PDB file of all heavy atoms in Angstrom:
ATOM      1  N   GLU A   1     -36.827   2.689  -6.111  1.00 90.00           N
ATOM      2  CA  GLU A   1     -37.534   3.452  -7.229  1.00 90.00           C
ATOM      3  C   GLU A   1     -36.806   4.764  -7.479  1.00 90.00           C
ATOM      4  O   GLU A   1     -36.837   5.251  -8.698  1.00 90.00           O
ATOM      5  CB  GLU A   1     -38.989   3.609  -6.863  1.00 90.00           C
ATOM      6  CG  GLU A   1     -39.734   2.221  -6.902  1.00 90.00           C
ATOM      7  CD  GLU A   1     -41.259   2.579  -6.715  1.00 90.00           C
ATOM      8  OE1 GLU A   1     -41.696   3.756  -6.959  1.00 90.00           O
ATOM      9  OE2 GLU A   1     -41.833   1.503  -6.394  1.00 90.00           O
ATOM     10  N   ALA A   2     -36.313   5.353  -6.417  1.00 92.00           N
ATOM     11  CA  ALA A   2     -35.618   6.750  -6.577  1.00 92.00           C
ATOM     12  C   ALA A   2     -34.240   6.510  -7.054  1.00 92.00           C
ATOM     13  O   ALA A   2     -33.580   7.672  -7.361  1.00 92.00           O
ATOM     14  CB  ALA A   2     -35.638   7.493  -5.343  1.00 92.00           C
ATOM     15  N   GLY A   3     -33.739   5.297  -7.204  1.00 91.00           N
ATOM     16  CA  GLY A   3     -32.292   5.122  -7.708  1.00 91.00           C
ATOM     17  C   GLY A   3     -31.320   5.322  -6.666  1.00 91.00           C
ATOM     18  O   GLY A   3     -30.118   5.753  -6.987  1.00 91.00           O
ATOM     19  N   HIS A   4     -31.554   5.093  -5.314  1.00 93.00           N
ATOM     20  CA  HIS A   4     -30.528   5.208  -4.317  1.00 93.00           C
ATOM     21  C   HIS A   4     -29.262   4.278  -4.529  1.00 93.00           C
ATOM     22  O   HIS A   4     -29.367   3.255  -4.856  1.00 93.00           O
ATOM     23  CB  HIS A   4     -31.100   4.988  -2.953  1.00 93.00           C
ATOM     24  CG  HIS A   4     -32.129   6.049  -2.445  1.00 93.00           C
ATOM     25  ND1 HIS A   4     -33.463   5.888  -2.711  1.00 93.00           N
ATOM     26  CD2 HIS A   4     -31.821   7.192  -1.859  1.00 93.00           C
ATOM     27  CE1 HIS A   4     -34.077   6.903  -2.172  1.00 93.00           C
ATOM     28  NE2 HIS A   4     -33.196   7.620  -1.585  1.00 93.00           N
ATOM     29  N   ARG A   5     -28.163   4.969  -4.250  1.00 94.00           N
ATOM     30  CA  ARG A   5     -26.829   4.143  -4.249  1.00 94.00           C
ATOM     31  C   ARG A   5     -26.062   4.698  -3.040  1.00 94.00           C
ATOM     32  O   ARG A   5     -26.197   5.761  -2.563  1.00 94.00           O
ATOM     33  CB  ARG A   5     -26.125   4.536  -5.678  1.00 94.00           C
ATOM     34  CG  ARG A   5     -26.845   4.066  -6.814  1.00 94.00           C
ATOM     35  CD  ARG A   5     -26.292   4.607  -8.073  1.00 94.00           C
ATOM     36  NE  ARG A   5     -27.002   4.142  -9.243  1.00 94.00           N
ATOM     37  CZ  ARG A   5     -26.431   3.868 -10.428  1.00 94.00           C
ATOM     38  NH1 ARG A   5     -25.118   4.065 -10.497  1.00 94.00           N
ATOM     39  NH2 ARG A   5     -27.140   3.389 -11.254  1.00 94.00           N
ATOM     40  N   VAL A   6     -25.263   3.658  -2.600  1.00 92.00           N
ATOM     41  CA  VAL A   6     -24.473   4.082  -1.536  1.00 92.00           C
ATOM     42  C   VAL A   6     -22.900   3.873  -1.993  1.00 92.00           C
ATOM     43  O   VAL A   6     -22.488   2.921  -2.595  1.00 92.00           O
ATOM     44  CB  VAL A   6     -24.600   3.101  -0.291  1.00 92.00           C
ATOM     45  CG1 VAL A   6     -23.640   3.318   0.715  1.00 92.00           C
ATOM     46  CG2 VAL A   6     -25.989   3.227   0.226  1.00 92.00           C
ATOM     47  N   VAL A   7     -22.203   4.939  -1.693  1.00 91.00           N
ATOM     48  CA  VAL A   7     -20.847   4.846  -2.017  1.00 91.00           C
ATOM     49  C   VAL A   7     -19.912   4.754  -0.770  1.00 91.00           C
ATOM     50  O   VAL A   7     -20.124   5.681   0.150  1.00 91.00           O
ATOM     51  CB  VAL A   7     -20.215   6.136  -2.909  1.00 91.00           C
ATOM     52  CG1 VAL A   7     -18.714   6.083  -3.094  1.00 91.00           C
ATOM     53  CG2 VAL A   7     -21.075   6.238  -4.226  1.00 91.00           C
ATOM     54  N   LEU A   8     -19.126   3.737  -0.608  1.00 89.00           N
ATOM     55  CA  LEU A   8     -18.351   3.460   0.602  1.00 89.00           C
ATOM     56  C   LEU A   8     -16.858   3.679   0.198  1.00 89.00           C
ATOM     57  O   LEU A   8     -16.323   3.076  -0.779  1.00 89.00           O
ATOM     58  CB  LEU A   8     -18.443   1.939   1.073  1.00 89.00           C
ATOM     59  CG  LEU A   8     -19.783   1.439   1.301  1.00 89.00           C
ATOM     60  CD1 LEU A   8     -19.846  -0.127   1.427  1.00 89.00           C
ATOM     61  CD2 LEU A   8     -20.343   1.966   2.639  1.00 89.00           C
ATOM     62  N   ASN A   9     -16.233   4.486   1.108  1.00 86.00           N
ATOM     63  CA  ASN A   9     -14.773   4.749   0.889  1.00 86.00           C
ATOM     64  C   ASN A   9     -14.186   5.277   2.139  1.00 86.00           C
ATOM     65  O   ASN A   9     -14.890   6.056   2.953  1.00 86.00           O
ATOM     66  CB  ASN A   9     -14.428   5.659  -0.328  1.00 86.00           C
ATOM     67  CG  ASN A   9     -15.140   6.965  -0.270  1.00 86.00           C
ATOM     68  OD1 ASN A   9     -15.449   7.381   0.851  1.00 86.00           O
ATOM     69  ND2 ASN A   9     -15.406   7.527  -1.393  1.00 86.00           N
ATOM     70  N   ASP A  10     -12.962   4.993   2.448  1.00 82.00           N
ATOM     71  CA  ASP A  10     -12.180   5.528   3.576  1.00 82.00           C
ATOM     72  C   ASP A  10     -12.933   5.447   4.833  1.00 82.00           C
ATOM     73  O   ASP A  10     -12.907   6.549   5.598  1.00 82.00           O
ATOM     74  CB  ASP A  10     -11.728   6.971   3.320  1.00 82.00           C
ATOM     75  CG  ASP A  10     -10.642   6.949   2.069  1.00 82.00           C
ATOM     76  OD1 ASP A  10     -10.040   6.009   1.837  1.00 82.00           O
ATOM     77  OD2 ASP A  10     -10.698   8.046   1.428  1.00 82.00           O
ATOM     78  N   GLY A  11     -13.704   4.564   5.085  1.00 74.00           N
ATOM     79  CA  GLY A  11     -14.311   4.336   6.332  1.00 74.00           C
ATOM     80  C   GLY A  11     -15.715   5.160   6.533  1.00 74.00           C
ATOM     81  O   GLY A  11     -16.268   5.177   7.539  1.00 74.00           O
ATOM     82  N   GLY A  12     -16.116   5.849   5.354  1.00 84.00           N
ATOM     83  CA  GLY A  12     -17.274   6.555   5.500  1.00 84.00           C
ATOM     84  C   GLY A  12     -18.258   6.185   4.220  1.00 84.00           C
ATOM     85  O   GLY A  12     -17.840   5.228   3.407  1.00 84.00           O
ATOM     86  N   TYR A  13     -19.388   6.685   4.263  1.00 88.00           N
ATOM     87  CA  TYR A  13     -20.385   6.364   3.080  1.00 88.00           C
ATOM     88  C   TYR A  13     -21.197   7.669   2.819  1.00 88.00           C
ATOM     89  O   TYR A  13     -21.185   8.556   3.687  1.00 88.00           O
ATOM     90  CB  TYR A  13     -21.194   5.260   3.555  1.00 88.00           C
ATOM     91  CG  TYR A  13     -22.414   5.656   4.423  1.00 88.00           C
ATOM     92  CD1 TYR A  13     -23.643   5.904   4.047  1.00 88.00           C
ATOM     93  CD2 TYR A  13     -22.150   5.660   5.921  1.00 88.00           C
ATOM     94  CE1 TYR A  13     -24.769   6.270   4.964  1.00 88.00           C
ATOM     95  CE2 TYR A  13     -23.135   6.004   6.867  1.00 88.00           C
ATOM     96  CZ  TYR A  13     -24.385   6.311   6.326  1.00 88.00           C
ATOM     97  OH  TYR A  13     -25.354   6.702   7.057  1.00 88.00           O
ATOM     98  N   ALA A  14     -21.789   7.599   1.598  1.00 89.00           N
ATOM     99  CA  ALA A  14     -22.622   8.646   1.198  1.00 89.00           C
ATOM    100  C   ALA A  14     -23.633   7.951   0.389  1.00 89.00           C
ATOM    101  O   ALA A  14     -23.515   7.023  -0.452  1.00 89.00           O
ATOM    102  CB  ALA A  14     -21.873   9.670   0.199  1.00 89.00           C
ATOM    103  N   VAL A  15     -24.924   8.484   0.566  1.00 92.00           N
ATOM    104  CA  VAL A  15     -26.131   7.993  -0.174  1.00 92.00           C
ATOM    105  C   VAL A  15     -26.531   9.050  -1.177  1.00 92.00           C
ATOM    106  O   VAL A  15     -26.583  10.144  -0.775  1.00 92.00           O
ATOM    107  CB  VAL A  15     -27.382   7.712   0.856  1.00 92.00           C
ATOM    108  CG1 VAL A  15     -28.542   7.253   0.225  1.00 92.00           C
ATOM    109  CG2 VAL A  15     -26.941   6.695   1.939  1.00 92.00           C
ATOM    110  N   SER A  16     -26.767   8.629  -2.313  1.00 89.00           N
ATOM    111  CA  SER A  16     -27.127   9.581  -3.445  1.00 89.00           C
ATOM    112  C   SER A  16     -28.008   8.908  -4.370  1.00 89.00           C
ATOM    113  O   SER A  16     -28.255   7.739  -4.423  1.00 89.00           O
ATOM    114  CB  SER A  16     -25.981  10.002  -4.200  1.00 89.00           C
ATOM    115  OG  SER A  16     -25.375   9.041  -4.936  1.00 89.00           O
ATOM    116  N   THR A  17     -28.757   9.847  -5.119  1.00 90.00           N
ATOM    117  CA  THR A  17     -29.632   9.328  -6.308  1.00 90.00           C
ATOM    118  C   THR A  17     -29.238   9.824  -7.653  1.00 90.00           C
ATOM    119  O   THR A  17     -29.856   9.571  -8.639  1.00 90.00           O
ATOM    120  CB  THR A  17     -31.085   9.787  -6.064  1.00 90.00           C
ATOM    121  OG1 THR A  17     -31.119  11.275  -5.797  1.00 90.00           O
ATOM    122  CG2 THR A  17     -31.608   9.189  -4.793  1.00 90.00           C
ATOM    123  N   SER A  18     -28.139  10.585  -7.603  1.00 86.00           N
ATOM    124  CA  SER A  18     -27.599  10.993  -8.951  1.00 86.00           C
ATOM    125  C   SER A  18     -26.228  11.248  -8.839  1.00 86.00           C
ATOM    126  O   SER A  18     -25.560  11.026  -7.896  1.00 86.00           O
ATOM    127  CB  SER A  18     -28.278  12.414  -9.117  1.00 86.00           C
ATOM    128  OG  SER A  18     -27.945  13.296  -8.182  1.00 86.00           O
ATOM    129  N   GLY A  19     -25.423  11.626  -9.982  1.00 78.00           N
ATOM    130  CA  GLY A  19     -24.100  11.892 -10.035  1.00 78.00           C
ATOM    131  C   GLY A  19     -23.272  10.769 -10.205  1.00 78.00           C
ATOM    132  O   GLY A  19     -22.012  10.863 -10.005  1.00 78.00           O
ATOM    133  N   SER A  20     -23.749   9.565 -10.564  1.00 84.00           N
ATOM    134  CA  SER A  20     -22.872   8.310 -10.697  1.00 84.00           C
ATOM    135  C   SER A  20     -22.834   8.045 -12.187  1.00 84.00           C
ATOM    136  O   SER A  20     -23.688   7.993 -12.866  1.00 84.00           O
ATOM    137  CB  SER A  20     -23.491   7.199  -9.999  1.00 84.00           C
ATOM    138  OG  SER A  20     -22.841   5.886 -10.150  1.00 84.00           O
ATOM    139  N   SER A  21     -21.530   7.479 -12.630  1.00 85.00           N
ATOM    140  CA  SER A  21     -21.339   6.965 -13.946  1.00 85.00           C
ATOM    141  C   SER A  21     -21.352   5.476 -13.904  1.00 85.00           C
ATOM    142  O   SER A  21     -21.155   4.979 -15.005  1.00 85.00           O
ATOM    143  CB  SER A  21     -20.007   7.551 -14.474  1.00 85.00           C
ATOM    144  OG  SER A  21     -18.969   7.187 -13.667  1.00 85.00           O
ATOM    145  N   THR A  22     -21.683   4.828 -12.900  1.00 89.00           N
ATOM    146  CA  THR A  22     -21.540   3.508 -12.682  1.00 89.00           C
ATOM    147  C   THR A  22     -22.758   2.826 -13.364  1.00 89.00           C
ATOM    148  O   THR A  22     -24.066   3.255 -13.139  1.00 89.00           O
ATOM    149  CB  THR A  22     -21.509   2.952 -11.306  1.00 89.00           C
ATOM    150  OG1 THR A  22     -20.287   3.473 -10.646  1.00 89.00           O
ATOM    151  CG2 THR A  22     -21.353   1.426 -11.262  1.00 89.00           C
ATOM    152  N   LEU A  23     -22.746   1.876 -14.212  1.00 90.00           N
ATOM    153  CA  LEU A  23     -23.983   1.061 -14.847  1.00 90.00           C
ATOM    154  C   LEU A  23     -24.326  -0.125 -14.135  1.00 90.00           C
ATOM    155  O   LEU A  23     -23.369  -0.971 -14.008  1.00 90.00           O
ATOM    156  CB  LEU A  23     -23.624   0.971 -16.302  1.00 90.00           C
ATOM    157  CG  LEU A  23     -24.697   0.278 -17.000  1.00 90.00           C
ATOM    158  CD1 LEU A  23     -25.994   1.122 -17.154  1.00 90.00           C
ATOM    159  CD2 LEU A  23     -24.207   0.130 -18.586  1.00 90.00           C
ATOM    160  N   PHE A  24     -25.462  -0.256 -13.686  1.00 90.00           N
ATOM    161  CA  PHE A  24     -25.889  -1.314 -12.918  1.00 90.00           C
ATOM    162  C   PHE A  24     -27.021  -2.122 -13.697  1.00 90.00           C
ATOM    163  O   PHE A  24     -27.843  -1.479 -14.393  1.00 90.00           O
ATOM    164  CB  PHE A  24     -26.492  -1.106 -11.575  1.00 90.00           C
ATOM    165  CG  PHE A  24     -25.309  -0.672 -10.564  1.00 90.00           C
ATOM    166  CD1 PHE A  24     -25.254   0.618 -10.215  1.00 90.00           C
ATOM    167  CD2 PHE A  24     -24.704  -1.665  -9.874  1.00 90.00           C
ATOM    168  CE1 PHE A  24     -24.267   0.947  -9.215  1.00 90.00           C
ATOM    169  CE2 PHE A  24     -23.709  -1.386  -9.056  1.00 90.00           C
ATOM    170  CZ  PHE A  24     -23.409  -0.094  -8.614  1.00 90.00           C
ATOM    171  N   SER A  25     -26.980  -3.450 -13.630  1.00 90.00           N
ATOM    172  CA  SER A  25     -28.155  -4.313 -14.235  1.00 90.00           C
ATOM    173  C   SER A  25     -29.060  -4.633 -13.008  1.00 90.00           C
ATOM    174  O   SER A  25     -28.590  -4.871 -11.985  1.00 90.00           O
ATOM    175  CB  SER A  25     -27.423  -5.653 -14.709  1.00 90.00           C
ATOM    176  OG  SER A  25     -28.659  -6.416 -15.087  1.00 90.00           O
ATOM    177  N   GLN A  26     -30.332  -4.466 -13.298  1.00 90.00           N
ATOM    178  CA  GLN A  26     -31.299  -4.758 -12.136  1.00 90.00           C
ATOM    179  C   GLN A  26     -32.317  -5.918 -12.752  1.00 90.00           C
ATOM    180  O   GLN A  26     -33.304  -5.490 -13.401  1.00 90.00           O
ATOM    181  CB  GLN A  26     -32.077  -3.521 -11.816  1.00 90.00           C
ATOM    182  CG  GLN A  26     -31.149  -2.470 -11.088  1.00 90.00           C
ATOM    183  CD  GLN A  26     -31.917  -1.262 -10.743  1.00 90.00           C
ATOM    184  OE1 GLN A  26     -33.114  -0.935 -11.117  1.00 90.00           O
ATOM    185  NE2 GLN A  26     -31.501  -0.463  -9.800  1.00 90.00           N
ATOM    186  N   PRO A  27     -31.975  -7.089 -12.515  1.00 90.00           N
ATOM    187  CA  PRO A  27     -32.882  -8.132 -13.021  1.00 90.00           C
ATOM    188  C   PRO A  27     -34.289  -7.944 -12.386  1.00 90.00           C
ATOM    189  O   PRO A  27     -34.412  -7.535 -11.242  1.00 90.00           O
ATOM    190  CB  PRO A  27     -32.316  -9.476 -12.613  1.00 90.00           C
ATOM    191  CG  PRO A  27     -30.798  -9.058 -12.207  1.00 90.00           C
ATOM    192  CD  PRO A  27     -30.840  -7.602 -12.041  1.00 90.00           C
TER     193      PRO A  27
END
């Protein structure tokens, strides 16, 4: 509900709820 997203790169990860330009579909 809060819009959490995880970004994985270079062996690490970050969890965020803002700052992304990626568009996702949520059926």
Side-chain angles (χ1 to χ4, degrees):
E1 288 185 23
H4 287 95
R5 296 170 182 213
V6 176
V7 177
L8 304 168
N9 57 25
D10 295 333
Y13 75 97
V15 179
S16 68
T17 56
S18 63
S20 173
S21 61
T22 306
L23 181 59
F24 286 102
S25 172
Q26 295 180 345

